[in-house]
């Protein structure tokens, strides 16, 4: 059997031999570690939970640390979210990549203190350390829009636009999607004036 054959399971070529062994059921699952994190989350703070997760990553032979992170990332980040809500006086903020990134940085720092290396070497997402340590309010706000609500609003109101509003809307959205940039203040004034006239006449 070739090396590629060893990485093949039911016609699928796996990226690693470990993945192929997991699919064949030759490795233990992470259910024990999953339950450990679930039980700890019920009685311990997120900070302690991150410490525990870091120790598990560094010292325990887990099959899929990334899946454990995906299963528990909200519990591991809860205090960071609460801090952001208080800092920005916005209790509507929800979990987002910025929050999770902060948690990953904290976990990676703890692993390095234990003599380990970066998260990527353990099969986990590599945190972005170029972000500011202070959670930026504008970026948090932009990351917390409810896209379903916005989509429904557009679908409901776009047909109601007058011609000038449609032209402004189409030009602005095209510039955004094509990353063209530009200043559209005058277009917004025209659209607002048309909308006001339309409302008063109605």
């Amino acid at each position: 059997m070739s090396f590629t054959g060893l990485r093949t399971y039911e016609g699928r070529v796996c990226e690693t031999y470990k993945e192929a062994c997991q699919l064949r059921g030759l490795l233990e699952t992470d259910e024990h570690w999953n339950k450990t994190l679930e039980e700890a989350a019920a009685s311990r703070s997120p900070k302690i939970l991150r410490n525990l997760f870091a120790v598990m990553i560094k010292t325990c032979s887990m099959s899929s640390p990334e899946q454990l992170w995906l299963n528990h990332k909200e519990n591991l980040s809860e205090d960071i979210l609460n801090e952001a809500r208080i800092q920005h006086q916005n209790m509507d903020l929800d979990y987002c990549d910025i929050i999770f990134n902060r948690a990953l940085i904290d976990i990676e720092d703890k692993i390095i203190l234990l003599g380990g290396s970066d998260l990527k070497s353990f099969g986990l997402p590599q945190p972005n350390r170029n972000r500011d340590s202070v959670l930026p309010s504008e970026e948090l706000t932009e990351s917390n829009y409810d896209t379903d609500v916005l989509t429904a609003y557009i679908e409901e109101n776009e047909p109601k636009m007058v011609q000038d509003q449609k032209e402004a809307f189409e030009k602005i959205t095209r510039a955004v999607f094509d990353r063209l940039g530009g200043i559209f203040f005058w277009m917004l004034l025209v659209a607002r004036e048309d909308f006001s006239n339309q409302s008063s006449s109605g």
Side-chain angles (χ1 to χ4, degrees):
M1 180 180 288
S2 65
F3 290 112
T4 302
L6 292 173
R7 289 191 291 111
T8 303
Y9 177 74
E10 294 185 350
R12 169 191 165 191
V13 179
C14 302
E15 292 186 6
T16 63
Y17 295 108
K18 181 178 180 180
E19 182 184 359
C21 289
Q22 287 174 332
L23 292 175
R24 289 188 172 92
L26 300 177
L27 298 177
E28 291 185 9
T29 67
D30 288 332
E31 187 56 30
H32 171 71
W33 306 118
N34 196 54
K35 289 182 178 178
T36 298
L37 289 171
E38 285 179 356
E39 292 172 2
S43 59
R44 303 296 180 183
S45 70
K47 185 176 181 64
I48 292 178
L49 199 62
R50 289 195 294 274
N51 289 341
L52 172 62
F53 190 46
V55 171
M56 289 168 57
I57 293 169
K58 175 64 175 64
T59 62
C60 304
S61 298
M62 296 182 291
S63 298
S64 180
E66 183 178 18
Q67 188 58 52
L68 285 172
W69 159 253
L70 293 174
N71 291 348
H72 300 279
K73 62 182 182 179
E74 291 188 0
N75 287 334
L76 289 161
S77 312
E78 185 179 3
D79 59 332
I80 298 172
L81 174 61
N82 290 335
E83 175 191 337
R85 286 173 171 172
I86 294 170
Q87 180 180 348
H88 301 293
Q89 299 180 0
N90 184 356
M91 300 308 292
D92 292 329
L93 290 178
D94 204 352
Y95 292 101
C96 62
D97 288 342
I98 303 171
I99 301 294
F100 296 138
N101 187 69
R102 281 283 302 278
L104 287 170
I105 289 174
D106 193 34
I107 292 167
E108 185 175 72
D109 287 344
K110 289 175 172 57
I111 291 174
I112 292 173
L113 284 174
L114 292 169
S117 54
D118 59 29
L119 290 183
K120 188 176 181 180
S121 64
F122 294 97
L124 284 157
Q126 185 64 37
N128 179 6
R129 290 181 177 269
N130 293 326
R131 293 182 186 271
D132 295 334
S133 58
V134 177
L135 296 170
S137 57
E138 289 185 5
E139 190 172 356
L140 273 173
T141 302
E142 291 174 0
S143 301
N144 277 277
Y145 285 133
D146 189 326
T147 55
D148 292 334
V149 172
L150 291 175
T151 300
Y153 179 84
I154 291 173
E155 290 176 350
E156 178 184 353
N157 290 280
E158 187 176 359
K160 302 176 184 177
M161 292 180 181
V162 298
Q163 187 60 36
D164 286 340
Q165 289 174 321
K166 288 181 180 178
E167 291 177 1
F169 177 76
E170 290 172 0
K171 186 164 186 177
I172 292 171
T173 52
R174 185 166 57 251
V176 171
F177 290 132
D178 294 342
R179 299 181 180 276
L180 300 176
I183 299 174
F184 304 101
F185 181 67
W186 68 272
M187 299 181 72
L188 293 174
L189 285 177
V190 170
R192 186 175 66 178
E193 183 178 355
D194 284 343
F195 183 77
S196 298
N197 293 337
Q198 185 180 10
S199 299
S200 60
S201 63

